[in-house]
């Protein structure tokens, strides 16, 4: 059995996780941006909704690709991992919401076509801030890569 550092550094796994994260980021940014710019939803609320949409999409892809072969099979086991994924990613979401809240309160104005682009720019910054935390937590607690 490999140790924790070895499992976290398995060649290709982090790249897969980042790729899945990019797909999730598209869902997150699209949802958050439409809610904020198109529907007038507060950025913090839009971030929460966008993050949950992304979490669900990323779970499905990670389950089938990044962490395929880790964890038990069966509906209940997958449901437990989905719940764990939502739980462990809540730390990443908290980081993202905090970053969005802090950055949108800075006296920065970046407007075009009547849209505050600075509010929208905070979303990808927030995603980047939570990437490493999410990788470690998902690897160790959701898919338990060190307990094969």
């Amino acid at each position: 059995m490999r140790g924790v550092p070895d499992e976290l550094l398995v060649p290709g796994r982090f790249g897969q996780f980042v790729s899945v994260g990019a797909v999730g980021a598209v869902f997150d940014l699209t949802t958050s941006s439409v809610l904020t710019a198109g529907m007038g939803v507060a950025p913090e609320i839009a971030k929460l909704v966008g993050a949950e949409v992304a979490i669900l999409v990323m779970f499905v892809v990670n389950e089938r690709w990044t962490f395929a072969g880790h964890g038990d099979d069966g509906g209940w086991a997958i449901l437990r991992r989905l719940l764990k994924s939502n739980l462990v990613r809540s730390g990443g979401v908290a980081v993202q919401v905090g970053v969005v809240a802090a950055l949108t309160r800075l006296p920065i104005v970046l407007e075009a076509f009547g849209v505050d682009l600075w509010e929208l720019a905070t979303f990808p910054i927030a995603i980047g801030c939570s990437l490493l935390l999410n990788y470690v937590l998902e690897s160790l607690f959701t898919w338990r890569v060190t307990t094969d």
Side-chain angles (χ1 to χ4, degrees), residues 10-71:
V10 166
R13 185 180 295 146
F14 184 71
Q16 286 176 296
F17 190 82
V18 170
S19 297
V20 172
V23 170
V26 169
F27 279 87
D28 186 342
L29 293 172
T30 301
T31 303
S32 301
S33 298
V34 166
L35 289 173
T36 299
M39 301 177 81
V41 174
E44 296 89 343
I45 302 300
K47 176 75 250 168
L48 285 171
V49 174
E52 184 58 27
V53 169
I55 286 169
L56 294 172
V57 169
M58 291 184 298
F59 175 80
V60 170
V61 179
N62 277 324
E63 176 75 11
R64 301 271 185 222
W65 185 44
T66 310
F67 298 103
H70 289 281

Side-chain angles (χ1 to χ4, degrees), residues 51-116:
E52 184 58 27
V53 169
I55 286 169
L56 294 172
V57 169
M58 291 184 298
F59 175 80
V60 170
V61 179
N62 277 324
E63 176 75 11
R64 301 271 185 222
W65 185 44
T66 310
F67 298 103
H70 289 281
D72 295 333
D73 292 332
W76 289 113
I78 293 169
L79 180 60
R80 276 194 303 277
R81 281 194 296 278
L82 174 61
L83 294 174
K84 279 185 183 182
S85 183
N86 265 276
L87 179 64
V88 298
R89 284 189 180 258
S90 66
V93 171
V95 167
Q96 289 185 40
V97 171
V99 168
V100 167
L103 292 178
T104 56
R105 282 160 181 72
L106 294 174
I108 297 174
V109 177
L110 182 60
E111 192 171 311
F113 308 109
V115 176
D116 183 355

